[in-house]
Amino acid sequence: MTKEKVLQTLNSISDKMSKEEYYAVLSFLYPEDFPPNDSTNKVIESLKEKAKKHFKAERKGNEVVIEILD
């Protein structure tokens, strides 16, 4: 999925998350464009914990792999 498609998708669901959560997702996906800070890292960890039942995301080099769980 291209960066533009990802951003379009995130924009379409941004009303379902806080600004901090939105920035944290952008920071996780594109750290070079949205550098993480301590606050962002805490939000990322919180989101990961909440989402463990639904999906798994991990960075592999420059690639982010998101696995949707049943």
Side-chain angles (χ1 to χ4, degrees):
M1 185 179 284
T2 66
K3 185 175 182 178
E4 290 75 24
K5 279 290 205 188
V6 170
L7 292 173
Q8 286 175 346
T9 302
L10 287 175
N11 279 331
S12 70
I13 62 169
S14 66
D15 61 329
K16 295 178 176 28
M17 60 180 79
S18 71
K19 289 181 184 180
E20 291 82 14
E21 290 172 334
Y22 182 72
Y23 186 83
V25 171
L26 289 175
S27 180
F28 180 78
L29 294 173
Y30 304 107
E32 62 282 351
D33 296 325
F34 303 93
N37 56 38
D38 287 340
S39 176
T40 303
N41 288 333
K42 287 178 186 175
V43 173
I44 290 171
E45 289 307 312
S46 172
L47 288 172
K48 283 182 182 179
E49 191 62 35
K50 288 180 189 177
K52 278 184 179 178
K53 296 183 261 185
H54 306 292
F55 67 91
K56 181 171 89 173
E58 64 181 306
R59 178 175 295 285
K60 293 182 180 179
N62 289 332
E63 203 173 287
V64 174
V65 177
I66 299 174
E67 178 183 351
I68 299 174
L69 306 172
D70 292 331

